[in-house]
Amino acid sequence: MPPPAPVPVLSFEQGQPISNISVGLDAIVLHSWRDNSNFGMMDPDYPYFGMELQVCCWKSASSSNHILARYTGGKLKKDALYQLTGRFFVDTSKEGGKSYLHIDEAVRFQGPGTIRSFRKPQFLLVGEVAQVLDRGLVMRWITRDPYRRDMVYEQSAVVGLEKQLSEKEVLGYEGELCCVEGRMDGLDHNRNDWICTGVKLC
């Protein structure tokens, strides 16, 4: 298994900021399979595995508490609970539904019986505050996707605010590159499932 490689939240290429949503979460592996696509087999030494994960703290009987993931560190054990860190890539197409977590590190929880974790996923994002809403921020950023041959493309999301910003903060943040951190109460990046608990100018 390749050692975890630290991925910077923010870097610059020819003056262009490149960033990502760094996520830490606890999840159960429901299914795991070898990714035999051209992208998945690009490096035969470290092939990708696709996974469906369950985030227990998102209480739902539907698939809304399931998340797709990709990993090159080997096949993870089915039904086991892992502490995962990685980068989340948002599907901004009209169809949606193809957002996924690129796992950079997976640490298995050890213990007897079935283990569950109800810790909320945490995220850290650096991006431009495109618009300040009454109870949210419209964020935009350029990301690099290692799965798609390091393709660079734009991402966007609406991040809910735990507390309303002052007029001074609104004027200071709008149009600026900011560091936003918070928790994920779900997967919907357009309906305030992502709650900002702190925002700072970069």
Side-chain angles (χ1 to χ4, degrees), residues 81-95:
L81 176 68
Y82 285 85
Q83 185 178 61
L84 307 171
T85 55
R87 292 159 280 166
F88 191 73
F89 292 89
V90 175
D91 180 8
T92 55
S93 67
K94 290 183 179 179
E95 296 80 14

Side-chain angles (χ1 to χ4, degrees), residues 106-169:
V107 178
R108 185 180 171 188
F109 282 91
Q110 301 290 338
T114 303
I115 306 174
R116 294 285 185 271
S117 170
F118 293 92
R119 182 175 72 99
K120 290 283 182 73
Q122 305 293 309
F123 73 86
L124 178 66
L125 164 66
V126 175
E128 178 193 348
V129 178
Q131 185 181 359
V132 179
L133 308 174
D134 286 341
R135 296 293 295 179
L137 304 173
V138 179
M139 302 293 299
R140 290 194 185 128
W141 65 99
I142 303 295
T143 196
R144 178 182 299 283
D145 191 338
Y147 176 72
R148 295 180 174 87
R149 293 188 173 94
D150 285 335
M151 183 187 296
V152 174
Y153 51 88
E154 185 175 284
Q155 301 264 270
S156 63
V158 177
V159 179
L161 290 168
E162 192 168 59
K163 61 180 182 178
Q164 199 162 4
L165 299 177
S166 67
E167 187 174 339
K168 182 179 178 181
E169 287 174 319

Side-chain angles (χ1 to χ4, degrees), residues 34-42 48 70 147:
R34 184 79 168 260
D35 185 343
N36 292 318
S37 68
N38 290 334
F39 289 141
M41 298 297 295
M42 186 169 54
Y48 272 94
R70 293 187 174 99
Y147 176 72

Side-chain angles (χ1 to χ4, degrees), residues 13-62:
E13 292 184 10
Q14 299 178 347
Q16 172 70 58
I18 305 294
S19 58
N20 56 74
I21 310 172
S22 296
V23 177
L25 76 160
D26 300 338
I28 293 172
V29 177
L30 296 178
H31 307 286
S32 179
W33 61 90
R34 184 79 168 260
D35 185 343
N36 292 318
S37 68
N38 290 334
F39 289 141
M41 298 297 295
M42 186 169 54
D43 186 346
D45 292 330
Y46 298 114
Y48 272 94
F49 287 85
M51 278 170 281
E52 183 180 9
L53 308 174
Q54 182 183 34
V55 182
C56 294
C57 66
W58 296 342
K59 296 179 181 178
S60 173
S62 70

